[in-house]
Amino acid sequence: MAPGVGGVQLTSLAGDSDELEDVRLLDSYDEIDGGARRIQVTVTGMTCAACSSSVESALKSLDGVITASVALLQSKANVVFNPALLKDEDIKNAIEDAGFDADILPESSTVGKMPQGTLVGQFTIGGMTCAACVNSVEGILRNLPGVKRAVVALATSLGEVEYDPGIISKDDIVNAIEDSGFDASFVQSNEQDKIILGVVGVYGPIDAQFLEVILSGTKGVRQFHFEQISGELDVVFDPEVLSSRSLVDSIQGGSKGKFKLHVRSPYTRMASKDGEEALTVFRLFISSLFLSIPLFFMRVVCPHIPLVYSLLIRRCGPFLMGDWLKWALVSLIQFVIGKRFYIAAARALRNGSTNMDVLVAVGTTASYVYSVCALLYGALTGFWSPTYFETSAMLITFVLLGKYLECIAKGKTSDAIKKLVELAPATALLVVKDKGGKSIEEREIDSLLVQPGDTLKVLPGTKIPADGIVTWGSSYVNESMVTGESVPILKEVNASVIGGTINLHGVLHIQTTKVGSDTILSQIINLVETAQMSKAPIQKFADYVASIFVPSVVSLALLTLLGWYIAGSVGAYPEEWLPENGNHFVFALMFSISVVVIACPCALGLATPTAVMVATGVGANNGVLIKGGDALERAQRVKYVIFDKTGTLTQGKATVTTAKTFIGMERGEFLKLVASAEASSEHPLAKAILGYARHFHFFDNSSATTGTKNDAENDAKSGWLFDVSDFSALPGKGVQCFIDGKLILVGNRKLIEENGIDISTEVENFMVELEENAKTGILVAYNGILTGVLGIADPLKREASVVIEGLQKMGVKPVMVTGDNWRTARAVAKEVGIQDVRAEVLPAGKADVVHSFQKDGSIVAMVGDGINDSPALAAADVGMAVGAGTDIAIEAADYVLMRNNLEDVITAIDLSRKTFSRIRLNYVFAMAYNVVSIPVAAGVFYPSLGIKLPPWVAGACMALSSVSVVCSSLLLKRYRKPRLTTILEIIVE
């Protein structure tokens, strides 16, 4: 989640429709078209793909359910249903009838209207290795008194808990998680009037009392708690009386500099639990390996060393010395090192499910118990059967090795988020001003204490602390870490800057506009986190396979045991096959244990989510934000890419190239009329006209190009424009208003003709000439007379034509849609190489164009940047919003191209294709071990080839199957976006 103001702000509960999509773990409902509703339900007890498949089947069997999908890693079900036929409780009951616990998440419209006194806290949870662990933690949290909701994400090792602080504290929640066998620590909460500070300078009880005196005398402080050992100070304050920064200033000022305070950032306070878990598993693996080596020597090497072997076969009490050593060593491995498997298996069985830990516990326990029984039976009867202590030891060792490699791999998948978090600077240089706005002081403050409206000084080579607007200075800024754009960007007055980017050369003064969770960097972190926890539709294949695979293998294990035992009892195979001093049951049991151990389909469940996690991280590093696995799945099958023209194919920086009058009106008067009419419009063409007119009147080059809000205000104050009345913008036509009681029209032919004004042949010929040169002609009529024409050009982006050619080489058909006239549209399309053009399309009609290409089932992508592109972006199978576009367009899209570069369209499609090729390969890895190894484990080839799979080898295959899948996904980290020169050499068959 994104860091917030003062280190305690969680992602905004209410959200902001004007920002990048704000998605939280506890969000739930969305209203959808047709009267249907979408509801999200947390499902507790799912541990594998078979569980998610059974829940999905139970939901789809309900009358009234339109669609239902279940995400295993997120322990969530997403259901679209007809509220006239079903109630929320019916869905909940259906899941519970299937054997799982269900909890309906509240409506997103009510998120933010939380009960009085309810908080949402974020916690790190270490030690979770599978979905069963997630379900266990969620179940424990939900049963705590005062806890309203709890959601845990395996991918990020984070949990969000909504709780009543009057009933339960954050420490109680942490203790409950730790009592269940996991590590936990508090990160942050949405309690906006609380801050956690680190205090330096308290060295004894007297200093602590002095700190308490300062806090007690500070107006607005409600309560506080200081922990001297950790140096942490928790303060609850009244935000209407006191801000977090003034609180820090009061404490430091009251102590006269004795105490130094800094905000405890959520991310610096949150230790890397993945690393700790990997270290713990590694230590267990090394311990198990160290204890297993003597067992291996006693079995293989020692019989060839007479002196040592004589000691091992010496009788000590009822058993041989070697048997005592094996029993002792394996007992340590089984019950001390392997304790984690029993704990995890118990959690899974409590939830009525099975997972890899259950299979490991069953397999190793069977080998261990049999071996102990064989020893005791030999001591009592004198008939010594072979023991298989080594099987338990080697199985646990191999599984721990697999878990260690999985922990390492899982940690690597979140590298993109870690890098983004590290971009946030620790401090900021605050410029203090007097009442007149003059700078009087500069001082360094914690970056988490920056507030909206602050003026910050950014020195060369330092990071920009927060999003803002440049108010003074000029410099180049490296934004590659956020947008992926390697070329530094020139930032001058009124230019926007992004927090976390690096100022390269000059000194800048910026006025902050967004801080904490509202910054672009925080929004990107949110998008990446959410996308990494998403479920791609292809995962349904794994769910289906697992749903029939698990029960089939369990049945096969029982049949293997019975088959071999019965076959031996009736003499179907020779006695020579039996191990020394063994019997038919022991012989059959070893085959059965091997089948059980190798049967875990965990690799199937990892095949898709691990690849999606890596791909979203790789995309973020390349300036392409992906909003989920479903978007990746659709993008790799794109057949048509529809481009908006203005601001997408073109630079979106329209400039007036021609201004011609036809009735003898002076050009200056003509431009003043047009500029007055367009001054109230937000359209890019209006800004271009206004800037051109301003430059004509004042010869001010800077004002002609900025087009900022300040320019418009200055124009209004200067009085050089006419007063207008009854202004109205006419979508797809232009604008109209009254000046001195006379109607003025500025727009296209349709607007002029609808008002009954004739277009002369001279004017028409001039318009045609403009349009054939890829320029847009703007007609101006005043008081019923056609006055003049403006010619406007919007240069194409330099990469546009090459990108179009590259898409065609990739087998994707480009289409251009624009509200411009046909001549201009065809001229632009010809210049970039697009054959299919849809012109004179109203903004609302762009979605209809998208639908027209979808009729034959084709997957359609839409690339746009403006508000008017939002319906089309939402209607398309894959919406791609140019990052420099509007926030509304970004919200409607599946991909956000942060660099405002069309080359990223190719990157998005290419990355999607590479990802799904990798997913398909993952399924091959996931299933190959089982398809090949299960028959071998069951002894199918033993009669003919003499090949069998010992249980410890089966355990190695089980562990390595998951490792192979994860490592295969990690190879996506080596992805490099294609060069256009390479793409143009592609030949589509």
Side-chain angles (χ1 to χ4, degrees):
M1 305 302 290
V5 181
V8 296
Q9 174 87 24
L10 199 61
T11 302
S12 172
L13 292 173
D16 187 347
S17 61
D18 293 333
E19 304 304 331
L20 291 172
E21 187 176 32
D22 186 11
V23 182
R24 294 176 54 253
L25 294 174
L26 293 175
D27 286 351
S28 57
Y29 290 84
D30 286 319
E31 293 296 328
I32 59 177
D33 295 336
R37 286 180 61 201
R38 178 181 289 115
I39 185 176
Q40 284 191 345
V41 187
T42 56
V43 184
T44 304
M46 298 189 299
T47 58
C48 63
C51 300
S52 62
S53 180
S54 63
V55 173
E56 202 166 281
S57 299
L59 290 170
K60 289 180 178 178
S61 66
L62 293 176
D63 185 23
V65 170
I66 300 171
T67 62
S69 62
V70 180
L72 174 63
L73 288 181
Q74 290 72 50
S75 300
K76 279 185 180 180
N78 191 0
V79 187
V80 178
F81 65 98
N82 186 344
L85 300 176
L86 276 178
K87 296 181 180 178
D88 297 356
E89 285 300 316
D90 297 330
I91 295 173
K92 182 175 184 288
N93 294 335
I95 298 174
E96 291 178 343
D97 291 342
F100 303 89
D101 294 330
D103 193 10
I104 298 170
L105 295 179
E107 295 188 60
S108 58
S109 59
T110 63
V111 176
K113 300 177 182 178
M114 297 166 55
Q116 185 68 28
T118 301
L119 298 178
V120 174
Q122 190 182 61
F123 301 82
T124 58
I125 303 170
M128 298 188 299
T129 59
C130 64
C133 301
V134 172
N135 298 329
S136 177
V137 175
E138 284 188 347
I140 292 166
L141 290 173
R142 289 173 183 150
N143 290 329
L144 293 175
V147 171
K148 308 295 183 183
R149 299 195 310 278
V151 178
V152 176
L154 175 64
T156 54
S157 297
L158 290 174
E160 284 187 4
V161 184
E162 182 185 340
Y163 63 98
D164 186 345
I167 300 176
I168 188 171
S169 68
K170 68 178 188 299
D171 294 329
D172 294 332
I173 295 173
V174 169
N175 292 335
I177 297 172
E178 291 179 341
D179 289 343
S180 65
F182 299 93
D183 298 325
S185 63
F186 173 74
V187 180
Q188 58 185 348
S189 78
N190 68 314
E191 192 174 21
Q192 297 184 15
D193 57 353
K194 183 174 182 179
I195 189 171
I196 301 175
L197 302 167
V199 184
V200 177
V202 178
Y203 302 111
I206 297 178
D207 292 334
Q209 291 176 4
F210 183 30
L211 177 62
E212 292 178 3
V213 170
I214 295 173
L215 288 166
S216 299
T218 303
K219 186 178 180 180
V221 173
R222 295 174 178 171
Q223 62 185 58
F224 57 87
H225 173 72
F226 178 65
E227 181 62 48
Q228 188 169 343
I229 296 176
S230 63
E232 279 194 356
L233 172 64
D234 292 15
V235 183
V236 178
F237 58 94
D238 186 347
E240 295 183 0
V241 178
L242 196 64
S243 68
S244 56
R245 189 162 73 214
S246 59
L247 170 64
V248 171
D249 292 343
S250 297
I251 297 173
Q252 292 185 156
S255 67
K256 297 183 179 179
K258 178 178 177 57
F259 302 141
K260 301 295 182 183
L261 283 76
H262 60 275
V263 180
R264 290 292 176 94
S265 167
Y267 287 102
T268 56
R269 294 177 61 239
M270 182 174 61
S272 176
K273 297 301 178 182
D274 288 338
E276 292 179 8
E277 175 69 6
L279 182 59
T280 300
V281 175
F282 178 72
R283 287 172 177 168
L284 291 174
F285 163 68
I286 292 298
S287 300
S288 181
L289 180 64
F290 179 77
L291 295 174
S292 298
I293 289 175
L295 294 171
F296 174 79
F297 271 86
M298 282 188 281
R299 167 73 74 169
V300 178
V301 179
C302 291
H304 302 287
I305 305 176
L307 179 62
V308 177
Y309 189 65
S310 63
L311 293 174
L312 294 177
I313 61 176
R314 179 176 296 178
R315 185 167 296 279
C316 180
F319 309 121
L320 301 180
M321 182 65 73
D323 292 330
W324 281 114
L325 287 174
K326 290 179 182 178
W327 192 352
L329 290 172
V330 173
S331 295
L332 288 173
I333 296 173
Q334 184 78 29
F335 300 110
V336 179
I337 297 174
K339 179 178 68 173
R340 61 181 288 122
F341 296 111
Y342 284 101
I343 294 173
R347 292 184 192 131
L349 294 174
R350 270 201 309 268
N351 291 319
S353 61
T354 58
N355 59 6
M356 188 184 77
D357 297 305
V358 172
L359 296 177
V360 172
V362 170
T364 57
T365 302
S367 298
Y368 180 85
V369 171
Y370 163 75
S371 299
V372 173
C373 291
L375 283 180
L376 296 176
Y377 183 75
L380 294 174
T381 65
F383 183 79
W384 298 94
S385 298
T387 60
Y388 294 95
F389 283 120
E390 299 88 350
T391 296
S392 297
M394 296 303 291
L395 177 56
I396 290 176
T397 301
F398 275 113
V399 172
L400 286 172
L401 173 60
K403 282 188 173 289
Y404 170 67
L405 295 177
E406 286 182 43
C407 288
I408 295 298
K410 186 191 296 184
K412 288 183 178 294
T413 59
S414 58
D415 282 349
I417 294 178
K418 293 176 182 176
K419 290 178 181 177
L420 288 169
V421 170
E422 290 169 358
L423 293 178
T427 61
L429 195 60
L430 177 68
V431 177
V432 182
K433 298 183 177 182
D434 58 18
K435 294 182 179 180
K438 183 179 179 181
S439 300
I440 57 174
E441 180 188 357
E442 295 176 6
R443 64 188 183 96
E444 190 175 70
I445 63 170
D446 196 307
S447 62
L448 292 175
L449 296 177
V450 173
Q451 299 170 354
D454 283 346
T455 298
L456 305 177
K457 183 178 181 179
V458 185
L459 298 174
T462 61
K463 294 179 180 178
I464 296 173
D467 294 358
I469 302 294
V470 176
T471 58
W472 180 86
S474 174
S475 179
Y476 281 89
V477 174
N478 180 2
E479 296 182 344
S480 61
M481 61 288 299
V482 176
T483 66
E485 176 60 69
S486 58
V487 179
I489 308 299
L490 176 63
K491 300 293 182 180
E492 298 178 307
V493 175
N494 294 321
S496 60
V497 291
I498 303 172
T501 57
I502 300 175
N503 178 28
L504 296 179
H505 303 299
V507 177
L508 295 176
H509 282 192
I510 67 166
Q511 185 176 36
T512 58
T513 56
K514 298 176 183 177
V515 298
S517 60
D518 292 330
T519 62
I520 291 177
L521 180 61
S522 296
Q523 300 287 354
I524 292 174
I525 294 173
N526 266 338
L527 284 175
V528 175
E529 281 186 329
T530 303
Q532 289 190 344
M533 292 186 291
S534 66
K535 179 180 179 181
I538 196 175
Q539 198 166 340
K540 292 181 180 179
F541 169 74
D543 296 344
Y544 172 73
V545 172
S547 66
I548 60 176
F549 182 77
V550 174
S552 299
V553 169
V554 172
S555 301
L556 179 62
L558 294 175
L559 290 174
T560 300
L561 176 62
L562 294 174
W564 279 105
Y565 180 71
I566 294 172
S569 301
V570 300
Y573 56 82
E575 296 291 329
E576 290 80 10
W577 287 7
L578 298 179
E580 184 181 355
N581 293 330
N583 54 38
H584 295 293
F585 176 76
V586 174
F587 187 63
L589 181 63
M590 291 302 99
F591 286 115
S592 180
I593 290 175
S594 295
V595 172
V596 170
V597 169
I598 206 170
C600 182
C602 292
L604 278 175
L606 293 171
T608 297
T610 52
V612 170
M613 288 179 69
V614 176
T616 51
V618 168
N621 288 335
N622 284 279
V624 177
L625 298 185
I626 308 165
K627 292 189 179 179
D630 53 344
L632 275 167
E633 198 275 338
R634 292 192 299 270
Q636 55 102 20
R637 296 187 291 118
V638 164
K639 183 176 180 181
Y640 295 98
V641 176
I642 300 176
F643 290 92
D644 172 53
K645 180 177 76 71
T646 305
T648 303
L649 286 173
T650 65
Q651 295 179 13
K653 298 178 181 178
T655 56
V656 177
T657 60
T658 306
K660 185 174 183 179
T661 60
F662 291 92
I663 61 169
M665 179 182 291
E666 289 185 0
R667 183 178 297 183
E669 187 71 10
F670 169 71
L671 290 176
K672 188 174 180 180
L673 277 172
V674 180
S676 301
E678 293 284 11
S680 299
S681 174
E682 292 295 326
H683 196 281
L685 298 184
K687 291 183 172 62
I689 293 171
L690 192 59
Y692 182 82
R694 187 187 305 111
H695 173 64
F696 183 87
H697 278 270
F698 301 107
F699 295 98
D700 182 357
N701 289 321
S702 62
S703 65
T705 57
T706 57
T708 63
K709 189 174 182 180
N710 289 338
D711 288 334
E713 292 174 353
N714 292 335
D715 291 337
K717 293 176 181 178
S718 65
W720 74 279
L721 295 177
F722 295 117
D723 292 330
V724 302
S725 60
D726 298 329
F727 172 87
S728 60
L730 307 172
K733 300 176 185 178
V735 300
Q736 68 178 28
C737 61
F738 286 87
I739 296 178
D740 293 333
K742 299 174 183 179
L743 178 65
I744 181 170
L745 305 170
V746 183
N748 55 22
R749 289 182 181 85
K750 191 172 184 180
L751 176 64
I752 301 300
E753 290 171 352
E754 284 181 355
N755 285 270
I757 300 174
D758 292 330
I759 301 176
S760 67
T761 303
E762 182 186 5
V763 174
E764 181 62 31
N765 292 337
F766 185 73
M767 288 283 289
V768 170
E769 182 183 351
L770 288 174
E771 291 163 356
E772 288 178 346
N773 286 282
K775 297 179 181 179
T776 300
I778 304 296
L779 297 166
V780 181
Y782 183 56
N783 196 25
I785 300 173
L786 188 58
T787 308
V789 176
L790 292 169
I792 297 181
D794 187 0
L796 288 169
K797 291 181 178 176
R798 57 182 175 81
E799 73 277 7
S801 60
V802 183
V803 168
I804 297 302
E805 185 180 355
L807 287 172
Q808 292 169 340
K809 291 286 187 179
M810 295 172 70
V812 179
K813 299 179 181 178
V815 180
M816 188 182 79
V817 60
T818 178
D820 217 332
N821 63 83
W822 278 100
R823 288 192 186 91
T824 302
R826 277 194 292 263
V828 172
K830 182 179 180 180
E831 191 172 347
V832 296
I834 294 178
Q835 304 297 322
D836 198 338
V837 182
R838 307 299 168 95
E840 297 181 0
V841 178
L842 293 175
K846 292 182 181 180
D848 295 331
V849 174
V850 171
H851 291 312
S852 68
F853 284 95
Q854 293 173 323
K855 287 181 179 179
D856 62 351
S858 298
I859 301 298
V860 178
M862 172 70 192
V863 185
D865 69 319
I867 293 175
N868 58 0
D869 297 326
S870 300
L873 289 169
D877 299 286
V878 181
M880 297 184 182
V882 178
T886 65
D887 295 331
I888 295 175
I890 290 171
E891 284 186 7
D894 300 296
Y895 284 74
V896 180
L897 313 181
M898 293 297 296
R899 297 192 311 157
N900 195 19
N901 191 316
L902 293 179
E903 293 176 21
D904 290 338
V905 175
I906 289 178
T907 301
I909 296 174
D910 182 68
L911 176 59
S912 301
R913 291 179 176 180
K914 293 287 197 309
T915 301
F916 270 78
S917 295
R918 183 62 55 180
I919 288 174
R920 295 184 186 98
L921 183 61
N922 285 353
Y923 281 129
V924 172
F925 281 123
M927 299 181 66
Y929 285 92
N930 289 322
V931 170
V932 174
S933 301
I934 286 179
V936 178
V940 171
F941 302 108
Y942 187 69
S944 58
L945 302 176
I947 299 174
K948 63 180 178 179
L949 198 66
W952 68 270
V953 177
C957 290
M958 178 193 64
L960 291 174
S961 65
S962 296
V963 173
S964 298
V965 166
V966 175
C967 292
S968 172
S969 295
L970 285 175
L971 288 176
L972 279 172
K973 293 177 71 68
R974 301 174 62 184
Y975 173 83
R976 295 293 181 269
K977 57 186 177 182
R979 292 186 175 184
L980 290 177
T981 53
T982 305
I983 294 172
L984 297 182
E985 295 173 0
I986 297 174
I987 299 177
V988 180
E989 298 180 356

